[in-house]
Amino acid sequence: NAGVTQTPKFQVLKTGQSMTLQCAQDMNHNSMYWYRQDPGMGLRLIYYSASEGTTDKGEVPNGYNVSRLNKREFSLRLESAAPSQTSVYFCATPRTSGNQETQYFGPGTRLLVL
Amino acid sequence: QKEVEQDPGPLSVPEGAIVSLNCTYSNSAFQYFMWYRQYSRKGPELLMYTYSSGNKEDGRFTAQVDKSSKYISLFIRDSQPSDSATYLCAKGGGSNYKLTFGKGTLLTVNP
């Protein structure tokens, strides 16, 4: 039971290059989320998916696209990377235990755009 | 105004000190609150969860919620160097299990 896995762990891109960040969860929940974390800004929601085949914008969606491939996998794509997208990206999925509803996070992907 | 406001610090204390971390929120239309702890270069991990006003204690940690003043706090007693991390407050109750996070407070406990 790995929880939430993310690949790659670290990536360096040049401005204008594209890449896809991968996320997979084995917690069997319908919802998945992508966040970015920047110094002094906290966690900001980029996109989320309430169920397979559906996606919705979060707080900071510009410059990103997502794909909910199946119940387990939710990918985040940068079509033309910009230095402003240098950040740490986290994927998450809900964890419910009794009446508690929280989110369980992956280990993150550190992205540097030069 | 952001829905959850948190002083980003940083906060530096000596080992054994009592630490108080605080957040305020602006929207009453939600039900539960969390504190996450994030070590350097790791993902956030749930530390405390509460859905009612009052105190909830877990070992050296106490989460406090005051819904009348829209204030949430985390107290750490007998702080240890291993408590050095970023602490994020969050509120839930939104649609699709969405959470709203504060900016996080970086805490350093010095031996």
Side-chain angles (χ1 to χ4, degrees):
Chain A
N1 185 348
V4 178
T5 58
Q6 292 183 237
T7 56
K9 286 185 170 51
F10 180 71
Q11 184 73 45
V12 179
L13 291 178
K14 295 181 179 178
T15 296
Q17 287 185 318
S18 63
M19 78 163 293
T20 300
L21 284 69
Q22 306 285 357
C23 174
Q25 54 100 358
D26 61 6
M27 302 178 76
N28 200 34
H29 205 286
N30 286 323
S31 298
M32 297 182 74
Y33 313 87
W34 275 107
Y35 293 89
R36 60 177 290 173
Q37 186 176 36
D38 304 290
M41 301 297 290
L43 284 163
R44 293 183 292 171
L45 184 65
I46 305 171
Y47 269 95
Y48 68 97
S49 170
S51 62
E52 185 179 344
T54 68
T55 61
D56 285 286
K57 295 178 180 179
E59 183 183 354
V60 288
N62 292 345
Y64 305 95
N65 287 301
V66 290
S67 295
R68 182 71 183 271
L69 305 171
N70 48 55
K71 189 173 185 178
R72 289 190 65 247
E73 298 172 290
F74 188 33
S75 62
L76 179 71
R77 183 160 177 84
L78 287 70
E79 291 290 352
S80 179
S84 61
Q85 294 178 304
T86 292
S87 188
V88 183
Y89 292 86
F90 290 101
C91 178
T93 192
R95 169 185 268 173
T96 53
S97 176
N99 60 355
Q100 289 193 10
E101 297 175 355
T102 63
Q103 287 188 13
Y104 187 88
F105 286 83
T109 294
R110 304 181 77 85
L111 176 65
L112 174 62
V113 183
L114 301 175
Chain B
Q1 181 187 10
K2 198 168 166 50
E3 284 192 58
V4 178
E5 299 281 356
Q6 182 176 8
D7 184 350
L11 186 60
S12 182
V13 301
E15 183 175 354
I18 296 174
V19 176
S20 173
L21 303 169
N22 306 296
C23 291
T24 59
Y25 61 91
S26 58
N27 186 346
S28 297
F30 59 94
Q31 300 176 351
Y32 50 95
F33 310 87
M34 285 143 278
W35 284 94
Y36 281 81
R37 179 174 60 195
Q38 184 178 22
Y39 290 116
S40 180
R41 296 182 175 268
K42 299 290 187 181
E45 297 175 308
L46 181 68
L47 181 63
M48 297 285 285
Y49 178 101
T50 182
Y51 56 85
S52 60
S53 285
N55 295 347
K56 180 178 180 180
E57 191 172 315
D58 184 359
R60 296 184 294 109
F61 298 89
T62 299
Q64 185 177 80
V65 176
D66 184 344
K67 289 189 176 181
S68 62
S69 59
K70 298 180 183 176
Y71 204 79
I72 53 179
S73 301
L74 178 70
F75 299 98
I76 307 174
R77 291 184 300 280
D78 187 25
S79 57
Q80 301 296 309
S82 59
D83 296 329
S84 298
T86 295
Y87 290 82
L88 300 129
C89 60
K91 69 175 185 68
S95 61
N96 297 307
Y97 303 93
K98 284 191 288 182
L99 303 180
T100 301
F101 287 88
K103 292 183 179 180
T105 301
L106 177 61
L107 171 67
T108 301
V109 181
N110 302 298

